[in-house]
């Protein structure tokens, strides 16, 4: 327990663990942007046991003696950011054996000590959808993580649904990435891509029916099939399809497949959303977009536009942002919202897209995404306007615990880079301020 | 009768063409007054409520509204913030296009590790989409050329970002020779150079050979190396690791040649040596991805290297995938948010860049007699939410998109 070497806040956590019950902590005087509800200029945020107890206007408020008061004057506090599409933690999903591998879980591949996870904390990201790549029609199961500190194993970062199952989606892709002409069972065309996906979902429908027919008679159950099990969860809406798609025709193909099979879907990247915004809105399907500094890089993103956010906002579609880390760096995720505003989006919807919109896409809007009583105490303390280039994330808090503090030298190293910033992290030395050896 | 009629028609056509021509000349050379709430001249403190007069493509006068009277025939353009046209001190656009397909990727020929004879202007596409893209953010001059992915990948050039063909836009046809030391300059697949030591040996052998070259028979490689040995052009040395920086300095000393450092994410480890050499650094893009030889890069590198007294410029660099090009304005913005002063961040993409590239007699600041290259913004140029509202090159409004 070397933690008491570091910041005041961690000292609090140490004390609290002694008493078993966390003390109430209140952040006072900050501008609070709760996302749901109006910003509060002289606000307070009261937390305890990892949850938000109360937020409101601090004027005239008196705190009980057992409340730790943190002066946050001049700061901006908003919910922890949610990244609906990232590749931090070195995820590895499907291999080259076939184009559709719903059985593969990135749960079985993640490195929880990877520096990329800490870079995400430094960027203010508290919840993240970590996905396998887009070189397959289906590259496997994704994972929704809370970026808690001190993780030794993947279990320490998981989120559980009301049935006690860890949460995650499933990654699909269309367009040119999964197309590998002459690549064995991989598709050579767009139509073939769609046909292969339909074939699997039809198989899954049949599998699901067999299970339903078996009822309580276990002898009539079909033999276990890991791929089918994941697709059945998808058909039942328990596993959201995160569909990598760029060009307008591919986007419409996703909408067509969604209509046919009824799965829950999030359009990912959606580079040409501005061309088919009406169709996306009509389908009531959410989009997770990425802000890229220039068009091109490959044929299907030649028409990618930073106006996608504005175009989708205009038609009333739900729109969130993602880093696709390492395509864009988690440390300046907020820049995506800034650039979207530059290209016509409203500030309110841009910040909503960094938080609540993504929470909805990951089916956890009751738990994260806004600062409301009862929700997880996931929030960030900023030095100023969230959309300014001069603003820094000063602190990141997950479930009431400070997981990033720019004042901590090692956290600072993660935030700005430098020698050793990219090395795997030894979590129990997280706050140790000195030479930790081993080439660091 | 018929022939006469034809003659009249053709006469009329010539007349119409002549009028259009005269009008277009007038349009191009229209005299412009740019008014700005803040005018960053880069020759001194920014001017509040400043005016820049443009005549015949050059800057005619710069000063406060009180000092300068705008002649009545000048077209007035107003902006909140006015800066010199931005300079991207190192990019590959124009050689590498936005599609990223083999037919538009011309910044690297993989057939041989040492090819100083490859001229950038033989490949430059002045109408490439990425050039139009960065122009819309206020970038008016680029130093572009062969990419840092071979020991010696070829030449670089300097061009304005508006014009129909390479001859029209080029300022400096051969600016530097692109050299890459370290991992990115290895040939791979068992070919040489396969190590850092071999890179240095191969480069030294070339320079020794060039020292003995008498010009007959003509050898394009040797002709270029001789220009380097005569200090007519510098090597643009892309290096990240401290040991590679030291290797470059060692070779520069041995052959008494000029260097411009590029990337240099570990510059601060050997900053005294760099400073003593007098060579400038075109610092890696601020938002470049950490990894490979760049594992130790920091958002604060530009601020720290500049703080140590070494001349710096900023760059968009080379990108192999997405984004196909960075925008140097955004890279400077991020540096300004991480320790580089606003003046120095702007300097790194205007006058300081111009000095490193040797073109400060023409561009980089708003001073009388210089090319009328101007960028206009509706707020602090570095803020994410600010827009570039217009770009002027050689006195001509070349972009009016709000971007």
């Amino acid at each position: 327990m070397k933690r008491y070497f570091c910041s005041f806040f961690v000292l609090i956590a140490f004390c609290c663990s002694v008493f078993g019950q966390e003390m109430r902590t209140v952040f006072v005087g900050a501008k609070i942007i709760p996302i749901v509800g109006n910003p509060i200029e002289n606000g307070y945020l009261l937390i305890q046991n990892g949850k938000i107890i109360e937020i409101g206007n601090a004027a005239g408020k008196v705190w009980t003696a057992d409340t730790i008061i943190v002066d946050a004057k001049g700061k901006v506090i908003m919910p922890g950011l949610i990244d609906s599409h990232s590749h931090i933690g070195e995820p590895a999903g499907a291999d080259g054996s076939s184009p559709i591998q719903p059985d593969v879980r990135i749960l079985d591949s993640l490195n929880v000590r990877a520096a990329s996870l800490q870079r995400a904390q430094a960027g203010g990201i508290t919840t993240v959808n970590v996905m396998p790549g887009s070189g397959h029609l289906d590259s496997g199961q994704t994972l929704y993580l809370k970026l808690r500190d001190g993780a030794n194993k993947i279990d320490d970062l998981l989120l559980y649904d009301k049935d006690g199952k860890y949460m995650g989606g499933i990654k699909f892709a269309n367009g040119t990435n999964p197309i590998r002409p002459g690549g064995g069972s991989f598709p050579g065309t767009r139509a073939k891509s769609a046909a292969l996906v339909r074939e699997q979902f039809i198989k899954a429908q049949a599998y699901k029916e067999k299970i339903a027919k078996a009822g309580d008679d276990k002898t009539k159950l079909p033999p276990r099939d890991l791929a089918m099990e994941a697709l059945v969860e998808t058909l039942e809406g328990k596993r959201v399809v995160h569909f990598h798609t760029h060009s307008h025709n591919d986007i419409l193909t996703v909408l067509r497949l969604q209509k046919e099979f009824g799965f829950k879907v999030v359009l990912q990247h959606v580079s040409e959303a501005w061309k088919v915004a009406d169709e996306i809105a009509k389908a009531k399907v959410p989009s997770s977009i990425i802000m890229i500094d220039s068009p091109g890089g490959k044929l299907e993103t030649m028409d990618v536009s930073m106006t996608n956010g504005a175009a989708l906002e205009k038609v009333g579609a739900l729109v969130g942002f993602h880093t696709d880390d390492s395509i864009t760096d988690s440390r300046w995720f907020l820049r995506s919202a800034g650039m979207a505003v530059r290209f016509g989006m409203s500030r309110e919807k841009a910040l909503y897209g960094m938080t609540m919109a993504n929470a909805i896409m990951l089916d956890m809007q009751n738990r994260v995404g806004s600062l409301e009583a009862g929700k997880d105490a996931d929030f960030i303390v900023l030095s100023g306007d969230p959309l300014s280039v001069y603003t820094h994330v000063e602190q990141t808090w997950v479930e009431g615990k400070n997981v990033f503090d720019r004042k901590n030298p090692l956290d600072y190293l993660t935030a700005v880079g430098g020698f050793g910033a990219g090395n795997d992290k030894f979590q129990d030395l997280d706050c140790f301020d000195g030479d930790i050896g081993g080439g660091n | 009768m018929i022939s006469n009629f034809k003659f009249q028609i053709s006469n009329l056509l010539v007349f119409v063409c002549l009028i259009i021509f005269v009008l277009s000349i007038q349009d191009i050379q229209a005299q412009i007054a740019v008014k700005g709430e803040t005018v960053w001249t880069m020759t001194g403190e920014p001017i509040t409520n400043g005016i820049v007069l443009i005549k015949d493509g050059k800057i005619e006068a710069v000063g406060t509204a009180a000092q300068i009277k705008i002649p009545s025939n000048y077209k007035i353009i107003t902006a909140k913030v006015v800066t010199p046209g931005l300079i991207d001190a190192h990019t590959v656009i124009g050689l590498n296009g936005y599609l990223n397909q083999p037919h538009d990727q011309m910044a690297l020929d993989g057939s041989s590790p040492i090819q100083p004879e490859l001229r950038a202007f033989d490949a430059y596409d002045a109408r490439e989409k990425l050039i139009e893209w960065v122009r819309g953010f206020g970038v008016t001059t680029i130093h572009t050329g062969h990419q840092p992915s071979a020991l010696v990948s070829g030449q670089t050039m300097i061009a304005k970002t508006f014009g129909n063909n390479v001859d029209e836009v080029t300022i400096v046809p051969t600016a530097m020779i692109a050299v890459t030391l370290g991992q990115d300059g290895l040939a791979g697949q068992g070919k040489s150079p396969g190590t850092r030591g071999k890179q240095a040996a191969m480069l030294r052998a070339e320079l020794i050979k060039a020292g003995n070259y008498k010009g007959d028979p003509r050898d394009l490689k040797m002709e270029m190396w001789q220009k380097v040995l005569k200090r007519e052009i510098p090597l643009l040395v892309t290096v990240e690791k401290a040991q590679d920086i030291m290797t470059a300095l060692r070779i520069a000393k041995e052959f008494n040649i000029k260097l411009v450092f590029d990337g240099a994410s570990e510059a601060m480890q050997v900053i005294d040596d760099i400073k003593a050499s007098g060579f400038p650094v075109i610092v890696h893009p601020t938002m470049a991805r950490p990894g490979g030889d760049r594992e130790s890069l920091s958002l604060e590198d530009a601020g720290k290297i500049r703080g140590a007294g070494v001349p710096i410029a900023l760059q968009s660099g080379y990108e192999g995938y997405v984004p196909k090009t960075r925008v140097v304005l955004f890279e400077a913005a991020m540096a300004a948010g991480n320790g580089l002063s606003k003046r120095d961040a702007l300097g790194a993409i205007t006058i300081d860049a111009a000095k490193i590239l040797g073109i400060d007699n023409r561009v980089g600041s708003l001073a009388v007699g210089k090319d009328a290259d101007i960028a206009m913004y509706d707020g602090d140029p570095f803020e994410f939410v600010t827009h570039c509202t217009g770009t002027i090159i050689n006195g001509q409004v070349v972009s009016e998109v709000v971007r």
Side-chain angles (χ1 to χ4, degrees), chain A residues 294 297 326 342 390 412 416, chain B residues 98 289 299-300 325 380 386-387:
Chain A
S294 62
S326 62
R342 183 186 197 120
Y390 304 107
Y412 188 81
V416 304
Chain B
Y98 83 124
R289 299 179 181 105
L299 295 175
E300 297 176 337
T325 188
D380 177 349
T386 293
H387 306 94

Side-chain angles (χ1 to χ4, degrees), chain A residues 63-377:
Chain A
W63 306 104
T64 54
D66 62 345
T67 308
I68 298 163
I69 300 168
V70 181
D71 182 4
K73 273 192 206 70
K75 311 296 181 196
V76 173
I77 293 179
M78 65 177 283
L81 308 182
I82 300 175
D83 184 353
S84 45
H85 181 157
S86 179
H87 302 289
I88 57 174
E90 301 152 17
D95 66 7
S97 60
S98 71
I100 301 180
Q101 302 184 36
D103 48 330
V104 174
R105 311 180 297 191
I106 61 149
L107 171 82
D108 300 312
S109 75
L110 279 196
N111 172 14
V112 296
R113 292 174 178 80
S116 51
L117 294 178
Q118 302 214 339
R119 283 202 293 271
Q121 292 175 335
I125 296 168
T126 53
T127 303
V128 57
N129 174 27
V130 180
M131 306 236 269
S134 52
H136 299 71
L137 296 170
D138 168 18
S139 56
Q141 300 171 26
T142 84
L143 212 48
Y144 303 163
L145 301 178
K146 267 290 182 79
L147 293 179
R148 303 177 185 109
D149 242 2
N152 253 329
K153 50 191 186 295
I154 189 63
D155 310 62
D156 298 334
L157 300 178
L158 297 177
L159 275 150
Y160 293 89
D161 65 16
K162 57 181 188 320
D163 301 325
K165 223 175 149 294
Y166 69 87
M167 297 176 77
I170 190 162
K171 173 81 177 275
F172 275 75
N174 65 8
T176 57
N177 284 16
I179 291 178
R180 304 185 198 177
S185 57
F186 280 75
T189 65
R190 292 186 145 90
K192 181 73 176 183
S193 300
L196 287 173
V197 168
R198 292 181 66 223
E199 194 180 17
Q200 287 305 308
F201 273 115
I202 286 165
K203 244 176 97 181
Q205 283 174 329
Y207 187 82
K208 185 174 170 238
E209 201 152 308
K210 272 185 199 163
I211 293 170
K213 271 191 185 155
D216 292 334
D217 186 353
K218 285 189 177 166
T219 60
K220 286 187 178 157
L221 282 174
R224 276 196 74 185
D225 181 323
L226 294 177
M228 286 300 119
E229 285 178 3
L231 289 183
V232 168
E233 286 174 353
T234 307
L235 286 171
E236 289 172 341
K238 291 176 185 165
R239 193 172 280 288
V240 173
V241 177
H242 294 282
F243 219 125
H244 157 116
T245 184
H246 286 292
S247 62
H248 60 96
N249 46 342
D250 290 326
I251 296 168
L252 296 183
T253 297
V254 176
L255 298 182
R256 201 177 304 118
L257 292 172
Q258 189 278 329
K259 207 170 171 189
E260 181 175 2
F261 296 103
F263 48 69
K264 286 179 90 163
V265 69
V266 174
L267 301 173
Q268 292 282 354
H269 307 321
V270 223
S271 296
E272 292 186 356
W274 60 276
K275 292 184 182 174
V276 287
D278 286 330
E279 287 77 4
I280 292 171
K282 204 174 147 213
K284 294 190 167 38
V285 160
S287 296
S288 175
I289 62 171
I290 182 166
M291 303 306 280
I292 297 289
D293 282 5
S294 62
K298 56 181 184 170
L299 288 174
E300 58 186 0
T301 56
M302 55 197 274
D303 284 346
V304 65
S305 173
M306 286 203 255
T307 62
N308 278 336
L312 290 166
E313 179 183 354
K314 198 174 158 201
V315 295
L318 184 66
V319 50
F321 295 93
H322 64 259
T323 61
D324 199 9
D325 193 316
S326 62
I327 295 296
T328 69
D329 196 308
S330 297
R331 290 173 294 168
W332 43 86
F333 186 29
L334 272 169
R335 179 174 183 269
S336 298
M339 295 307 284
V341 170
R342 183 186 197 120
F343 284 85
M345 207 174 181
S346 72
R347 288 177 71 93
E348 292 70 29
K349 283 293 178 196
L351 291 176
Y352 190 84
M354 303 293 292
T355 52
M356 197 59 192
N358 284 339
I360 293 167
M361 290 180 209
L362 303 184
D363 274 337
M364 50 179 89
Q365 64 270 32
N366 296 325
R367 198 170 162 182
V368 296
S370 62
L371 299 179
E372 294 178 273
K375 279 196 168 180
D376 290 358

Side-chain angles (χ1 to χ4, degrees), chain B residues 210-267:
Chain B
N212 298 325
Y213 172 65
K214 302 287 185 249
D216 187 32
R218 280 190 68 187
D219 182 321
L220 295 177
K221 284 188 208 296
M222 292 302 122
E223 286 179 4
M224 284 315 299
W225 288 128
Q226 285 211 330
K227 286 181 197 285
V228 173
L229 289 173
K230 286 180 193 158
R231 300 173 66 83
E232 287 169 15
I233 51 174
L235 298 185
L236 176 70
V237 191
T238 302
V239 277
E240 301 295 344
K241 304 293 288 179
Q243 68 264 42
D244 296 324
I245 295 173
M246 294 312 296
T247 298
L249 286 173
R250 201 177 303 120
I251 293 172
K253 200 171 174 189
E254 180 180 355
F255 295 95
N256 189 31
I257 58 177
K258 291 202 287 187
L259 304 184
V260 172
F261 283 114
D262 174 73
S265 49
E266 293 186 10

Side-chain angles (χ1 to χ4, degrees), chain B residues 306-327:
Chain B
R306 180 74 174 80
V310 172
I312 65 156
L314 282 164
Q315 61 170 317
S316 60
Y318 157 70
E319 291 295 333
Y321 184 44
V322 170
K324 193 53 194 160
T325 188
R326 296 176 179 278
V327 178

